[in-house]
Amino acid sequence: MATSALQGAPMPTTDDRTTSDGDLRLVGITKRFGRFTAVDDLDLTVPQGSFFALLGPSGCGKTTTLRMVAGLEQPTQGQVLLGDRDVTGTKPYQRPVNTVFQSYALFPHLDVFENVAFGLRRRRKKEVKADVDAVLELVQLEHLAKSKPGLLSGGQQQRVALARAIVNRPSVLLLDEPLGALDLKLRRQMQVELKRIQTEVGLTFVHVTHDQEEAMTMADTIAVMNGGRIEQMGSPTELYERPCTTFAANFLGQSNLIQATVTGTAGDDLLIDVHGQRVTLPRQRSTVTDGRLWLGVRPEKLRVAGPDDAGNRLTGIVTDASFIGVATYYLVRMPWGQELTVVQQNDGTPPLPPGEPLTVTWLPDHGFGLDATQDEHAGAEAIDPDAPAPAGAAR
Ligand SMILES: Nc1ncnc2c1ncn2[C@@H]1O[C@H](COP(=O)(O)OP(=O)(O)OP(=O)(O)O)[C@@H](O)[C@H]1O
Ligand SMILES: [Mg+2]
């Protein structure tokens, strides 16, 4: 397998690259364009060898952040560190960083092999064949080594672009919406591919996307960005199961956010009033422990209640039921007027028709509590209408 040739291969010695690579750290990074702040006092650490995703809506500062890591943009304030090395003032070509953009910009007159070999030849590496062959095998393009880019499909061209970057064995590979030009099916395939490649070569990938499913599929850690800042950072499951802001709760998947009030405590639980109904929430699952809060529950965590179900309960009236085979998506109007989205896994029970009362239950451990002063719709309207439906979204 190509892996063996790449893994543990010595870093190139023909330029100023050192082995002091390691974690990528951004410390207090700010970028202003005139009076506009595109990136606002960002602190983040990307552990060496991890797959890190910067996820956020258009204009939130993702590309600007990447460009500062690459050295294509100078921060107004703050530092970029690679391991112990401060590279803030270093020229792009002196950084052990490579970037793959949405537009691949392959050399049309060079064949695939020479496109991939380009960086090595420019660094005057004498023996390029073994490295290029190994990386072409990794991206499964050995058979197209002699083809010109113009004859390749979008996905194949994207893999050449990737191979061309990986062959340089950068400490950090930056990917700015690299799959954006591909159709949905190919994009899904390439997501799996990219993750496989990253795992095999063990390089640090920093991947920029506004597609939450793409980020969740591939990344070890996701930083959710909004307005030049990081809203929340964590593993896909941490972010999904325990969002800390309404923006994160709505941008990553979908959430029911219910206006509620903490009325007391019982052991490790908060006692919560939801428009006259008592429910509970573990204290450590809430960013707020008294007064008003948004009580969040994901649509698939709400279940159509059976008679013996323990847990929190609320009853409403079905206003819409869409059977999609694996599940039924319900809208359930609560007595206070709010419609909750419920995704009920198909367990063989026929869907309840509109007009029927429906009691939903959920485990207290599946709820989360958020600051009531935040906009309940933050992040929901930011979702790209062309993007595929978020996981758990009602249609
Ligand atoms: N050179 C520049 N001069 C002025 N404003 C800029 C410049 N580059 C970026 N901006 C602004 O900074 C903000 C962040 O831009 P950036 O390209 O980083 O966003 P993004 O998160 O990558 O968005 P997208 O998902 O659309 O690519 C935007 O409002 C953009 O208009
Ligand atoms: Mg961008």
Side-chain angles (χ1 to χ4, degrees), residues 22-31 39-47 52 54 61-71 73 75 77-83 85-88 95 97 172 174 206 208 223 225 228 230 233:
D23 297 354
L24 164 67
R25 281 196 298 146
L26 306 188
V27 184
I29 284 281
T30 296
K31 181 66 190 181
V39 175
D40 194 2
D41 196 19
L42 209 80
D43 283 302
L44 71 90
T45 299
V46 180
F52 191 93
L54 279 177
K62 305 180 296 291
T63 295
T64 306
T65 304
L66 273 203
R67 288 174 59 81
M68 289 191 282
V69 175
E73 203 80 75
Q77 266 164 35
Q79 292 165 293
V80 180
L81 298 157
L82 278 165
R85 186 174 157 211
D86 186 337
V87 296
T88 318
R95 301 187 186 196
V97 172
V172 180
L174 306 175
V206 181
V208 158
M225 272 188 88
I230 291 179
M233 197 153 69

Side-chain angles (χ1 to χ4, degrees), residues 66-125:
L66 273 203
R67 288 174 59 81
M68 289 191 282
V69 175
L72 300 167
E73 203 80 75
Q74 196 56 31
T76 313
Q77 266 164 35
Q79 292 165 293
V80 180
L81 298 157
L82 278 165
D84 296 330
R85 186 174 157 211
D86 186 337
V87 296
T88 318
T90 309
K91 296 267 187 302
Y93 59 86
Q94 292 170 328
R95 301 187 186 196
V97 172
N98 268 83
T99 311
V100 179
F101 297 102
Q102 180 174 338
S103 52
Y104 336 115
L106 300 175
F107 300 114
H109 58 289
L110 298 180
D111 65 20
V112 167
F113 184 97
E114 286 304 324
N115 263 281
V116 174
F118 185 81
L120 299 178
R121 295 212 195 279
R122 199 173 55 172
R123 291 207 313 274
R124 306 193 199 297
K125 194 162 171 125

Side-chain angles (χ1 to χ4, degrees), residues 174-186:
L174 306 175
L175 303 130
D176 193 352
E177 306 262 7
L179 311 180
L182 307 180
D183 68 41
L184 189 61
K185 190 158 169 253
L186 194 52

